[in-house]
Amino acid sequence: MTTDADAHVHGYTAEKSSHLKRLRRIEGQIRGLQRMVEEDKYCIDILTQVSAATKALQSFSLELLDEHLSHCVVEAAQKGGAEAEEKVREASDAIARLVRS
C-alpha cells in the first residue's frame, strides 16, 4: 500500500542520485574509522577523521534542509492553513536539532 507521503515528490528528489553518492562516501569514512580503531591508529588521527565525517554529515544535513525549505515548506506555505503551520514547525524543530548536534 502506498501512502500519500510515499507518493509525494520530496524536495531532495531531483538530487537523489547525488545525495546517495555523498552518503556512500560518508559511509566509507565511517568504515575507515572502524578500520583505524581495529588497527590501533593514533587517537588524534582518528579524531581528525571523526571531525571530517561529522562535517560531511552536517553539510549534507544543511543541503537537505535547504531543499526541504525551498520545496516542501514553500509549497505548504502557498497552500496555507494547518499544513503550512505544520511544515514550518517541522522545519524549525529540525533546525533546532541540527544546532544542538
Side-chain angles (χ1 to χ4, degrees), residues 5 27 29 40 42-44 47 50 59-60 62 68-69 78:
E27 181 181 25
Q29 287 179 291
D40 295 318
Y42 185 53
C43 52
I44 296 301
L47 288 169
V50 167
S59 176
F60 174 77
L62 290 173
H68 177 69
L69 291 171
Q78 289 170 342

Side-chain angles (χ1 to χ4, degrees), residues 23-38 46 49-54 56-57:
L23 288 169
R24 284 188 206 95
R25 193 167 37 247
I26 293 167
E27 181 181 25
Q29 287 179 291
I30 302 305
R31 281 199 204 105
L33 283 165
Q34 291 171 326
R35 275 191 306 279
M36 291 178 81
V37 171
E38 288 170 352
I46 296 171
Q49 292 307 310
V50 167
S51 178
T54 300
L57 277 172

